[in-house]
mmCIF file of all heavy atoms in Angstrom:
data_model
loop_
_atom_site.group_PDB
_atom_site.id
_atom_site.type_symbol
_atom_site.label_atom_id
_atom_site.label_comp_id
_atom_site.label_asym_id
_atom_site.label_seq_id
_atom_site.Cartn_x
_atom_site.Cartn_y
_atom_site.Cartn_z
ATOM 1 N N THR A 427 108.524 103.497 67.423
ATOM 2 C CA THR A 427 107.076 103.111 67.474
ATOM 3 C C THR A 427 107.010 101.824 68.411
ATOM 4 O O THR A 427 108.007 101.117 68.463
ATOM 5 C CB THR A 427 106.551 102.740 66.086
ATOM 6 O OG1 THR A 427 107.403 101.718 65.600
ATOM 7 C CG2 THR A 427 106.578 103.924 65.150
ATOM 8 N N PRO A 428 105.885 101.655 68.996
ATOM 9 C CA PRO A 428 105.843 100.489 69.927
ATOM 10 C C PRO A 428 105.643 99.171 69.138
ATOM 11 O O PRO A 428 105.249 99.133 67.999
ATOM 12 C CB PRO A 428 104.451 100.755 70.743
ATOM 13 C CG PRO A 428 103.630 101.570 69.689
ATOM 14 C CD PRO A 428 104.616 102.336 68.960
ATOM 15 N N MET A 429 105.834 98.085 69.828
ATOM 16 C CA MET A 429 105.550 96.779 69.289
ATOM 17 C C MET A 429 104.042 96.554 69.399
ATOM 18 O O MET A 429 103.372 96.990 70.240
ATOM 19 C CB MET A 429 106.362 95.681 70.066
ATOM 20 C CG MET A 429 107.780 95.678 69.706
ATOM 21 S SD MET A 429 108.461 94.039 69.994
ATOM 22 C CE MET A 429 108.993 94.266 71.653
ATOM 23 N N VAL A 430 103.465 95.927 68.240
ATOM 24 C CA VAL A 430 102.072 95.559 68.283
ATOM 25 C C VAL A 430 101.971 94.110 67.973
ATOM 26 O O VAL A 430 102.900 93.451 67.511
ATOM 27 C CB VAL A 430 101.335 96.410 67.226
ATOM 28 C CG1 VAL A 430 101.325 97.867 67.549
ATOM 29 C CG2 VAL A 430 102.041 96.229 65.840
ATOM 30 N N PRO A 431 100.856 93.537 68.348
ATOM 31 C CA PRO A 431 100.609 92.052 68.053
ATOM 32 C C PRO A 431 100.698 91.774 66.578
ATOM 33 O O PRO A 431 100.255 92.590 65.695
ATOM 34 C CB PRO A 431 99.281 91.704 68.542
ATOM 35 C CG PRO A 431 98.965 92.850 69.574
ATOM 36 C CD PRO A 431 99.668 94.035 69.045
ATOM 37 N N PRO A 432 101.295 90.649 66.150
ATOM 38 C CA PRO A 432 101.302 90.276 64.749
ATOM 39 C C PRO A 432 99.965 89.957 64.230
ATOM 40 O O PRO A 432 99.031 89.689 65.024
ATOM 41 C CB PRO A 432 102.240 89.056 64.659
ATOM 42 C CG PRO A 432 102.152 88.514 66.045
ATOM 43 C CD PRO A 432 101.867 89.630 66.946
ATOM 44 N N THR A 433 99.785 89.888 62.896
ATOM 45 C CA THR A 433 98.544 89.454 62.309
ATOM 46 C C THR A 433 98.146 88.016 62.777
ATOM 47 O O THR A 433 99.063 87.180 63.069
ATOM 48 C CB THR A 433 98.546 89.489 60.847
ATOM 49 O OG1 THR A 433 99.647 88.644 60.396
ATOM 50 C CG2 THR A 433 98.783 90.871 60.273
ATOM 51 N N GLY A 434 96.940 87.711 62.769
ATOM 52 C CA GLY A 434 96.517 86.351 63.038
ATOM 53 C C GLY A 434 96.326 86.003 64.476
ATOM 54 O O GLY A 434 95.911 84.884 64.911
ATOM 55 N N VAL A 435 96.677 86.955 65.453
ATOM 56 C CA VAL A 435 96.586 86.690 66.877
ATOM 57 C C VAL A 435 95.165 86.380 67.310
ATOM 58 O O VAL A 435 94.929 85.426 68.060
ATOM 59 C CB VAL A 435 97.116 87.904 67.675
ATOM 60 C CG1 VAL A 435 96.528 87.892 69.108
ATOM 61 C CG2 VAL A 435 98.633 87.892 67.644
ATOM 62 N N ARG A 436 94.177 87.123 66.763
ATOM 63 C CA ARG A 436 92.797 86.963 67.236
ATOM 64 C C ARG A 436 92.254 85.531 66.772
ATOM 65 O O ARG A 436 91.567 84.882 67.553
ATOM 66 C CB ARG A 436 91.902 88.059 66.708
ATOM 67 C CG ARG A 436 92.056 89.365 67.604
ATOM 68 C CD ARG A 436 91.311 90.502 67.098
ATOM 69 N NE ARG A 436 91.947 91.818 67.504
ATOM 70 C CZ ARG A 436 91.767 92.293 68.721
ATOM 71 N NH1 ARG A 436 90.970 91.734 69.583
ATOM 72 N NH2 ARG A 436 92.410 93.382 69.090
ATOM 73 N N GLN A 437 92.667 85.176 65.537
ATOM 74 C CA GLN A 437 92.224 83.779 65.094
ATOM 75 C C GLN A 437 92.784 82.750 65.995
ATOM 76 O O GLN A 437 92.170 81.747 66.337
ATOM 77 C CB GLN A 437 92.649 83.550 63.631
ATOM 78 C CG GLN A 437 91.887 84.418 62.582
ATOM 79 C CD GLN A 437 92.696 85.746 62.397
ATOM 80 O OE1 GLN A 437 93.040 86.430 63.317
ATOM 81 N NE2 GLN A 437 92.819 86.109 61.173
ATOM 82 N N LEU A 438 94.092 82.848 66.362
ATOM 83 C CA LEU A 438 94.758 81.898 67.127
ATOM 84 C C LEU A 438 94.127 81.875 68.503
ATOM 85 O O LEU A 438 93.881 80.742 69.081
ATOM 86 C CB LEU A 438 96.234 82.182 67.282
ATOM 87 C CG LEU A 438 97.082 81.288 68.147
ATOM 88 C CD1 LEU A 438 97.087 79.891 67.615
ATOM 89 C CD2 LEU A 438 98.557 81.708 68.285
ATOM 90 N N ALA A 439 93.821 83.091 69.063
ATOM 91 C CA ALA A 439 93.133 83.173 70.323
ATOM 92 C C ALA A 439 91.824 82.419 70.361
ATOM 93 O O ALA A 439 91.479 81.637 71.315
ATOM 94 C CB ALA A 439 92.980 84.544 70.795
ATOM 95 N N GLN A 440 91.115 82.599 69.257
ATOM 96 C CA GLN A 440 89.795 81.884 69.105
ATOM 97 C C GLN A 440 89.964 80.347 69.133
ATOM 98 O O GLN A 440 89.243 79.580 69.724
ATOM 99 C CB GLN A 440 89.144 82.307 67.880
ATOM 100 C CG GLN A 440 87.941 83.195 68.132
ATOM 101 C CD GLN A 440 87.435 83.967 66.880
ATOM 102 O OE1 GLN A 440 87.762 83.508 65.793
ATOM 103 N NE2 GLN A 440 86.665 84.931 67.084
ATOM 104 N N MET A 441 90.989 79.882 68.354
ATOM 105 C CA MET A 441 91.178 78.482 68.300
ATOM 106 C C MET A 441 91.647 77.853 69.665
ATOM 107 O O MET A 441 91.247 76.813 70.050
ATOM 108 C CB MET A 441 92.325 78.129 67.285
ATOM 109 C CG MET A 441 91.868 78.239 65.818
ATOM 110 S SD MET A 441 93.104 77.633 64.753
ATOM 111 C CE MET A 441 94.004 79.071 64.318
ATOM 112 N N LEU A 442 92.366 78.683 70.444
ATOM 113 C CA LEU A 442 92.826 78.272 71.751
ATOM 114 C C LEU A 442 91.778 78.519 72.804
ATOM 115 O O LEU A 442 91.949 78.079 73.972
ATOM 116 C CB LEU A 442 94.077 79.017 72.152
ATOM 117 C CG LEU A 442 95.375 78.649 71.455
ATOM 118 C CD1 LEU A 442 96.437 79.667 71.631
ATOM 119 C CD2 LEU A 442 95.927 77.332 71.958
ATOM 120 N N LYS A 443 90.763 79.224 72.523
ATOM 121 C CA LYS A 443 89.676 79.697 73.456
ATOM 122 C C LYS A 443 90.295 80.468 74.543
ATOM 123 O O LYS A 443 90.051 80.236 75.785
ATOM 124 C CB LYS A 443 88.926 78.444 74.004
ATOM 125 C CG LYS A 443 88.144 77.732 72.930
ATOM 126 C CD LYS A 443 87.414 76.550 73.553
ATOM 127 C CE LYS A 443 86.865 75.541 72.561
ATOM 128 N NZ LYS A 443 86.713 74.221 73.129
ATOM 129 N N VAL A 444 91.230 81.386 74.253
ATOM 130 C CA VAL A 444 91.825 82.266 75.269
ATOM 131 C C VAL A 444 91.563 83.717 74.835
ATOM 132 O O VAL A 444 91.377 83.931 73.595
ATOM 133 C CB VAL A 444 93.317 81.962 75.428
ATOM 134 C CG1 VAL A 444 93.549 80.569 75.898
ATOM 135 C CG2 VAL A 444 94.054 82.306 74.173
ATOM 136 N N PRO A 445 91.580 84.595 75.754
ATOM 137 C CA PRO A 445 91.243 86.024 75.486
ATOM 138 C C PRO A 445 92.498 86.769 75.093
ATOM 139 O O PRO A 445 93.620 86.460 75.432
ATOM 140 C CB PRO A 445 90.720 86.557 76.746
ATOM 141 C CG PRO A 445 91.321 85.750 77.863
ATOM 142 C CD PRO A 445 91.593 84.342 77.226
ATOM 143 N N VAL A 446 92.246 87.909 74.353
ATOM 144 C CA VAL A 446 93.286 88.966 74.147
ATOM 145 C C VAL A 446 92.771 90.239 74.720
ATOM 146 O O VAL A 446 91.622 90.409 74.969
ATOM 147 C CB VAL A 446 93.617 89.148 72.614
ATOM 148 C CG1 VAL A 446 94.260 87.924 72.041
ATOM 149 C CG2 VAL A 446 92.389 89.559 71.809
#
Side-chain angles (χ1 to χ4, degrees):
Chain A
T427 57
M429 285 204 271
V430 293
T433 56
V435 159
R436 283 174 206 276
Q437 292 90 309
L438 179 61
Q440 251 166 19
M441 285 191 267
L442 286 163
K443 296 181 193 153
V444 300
V446 294

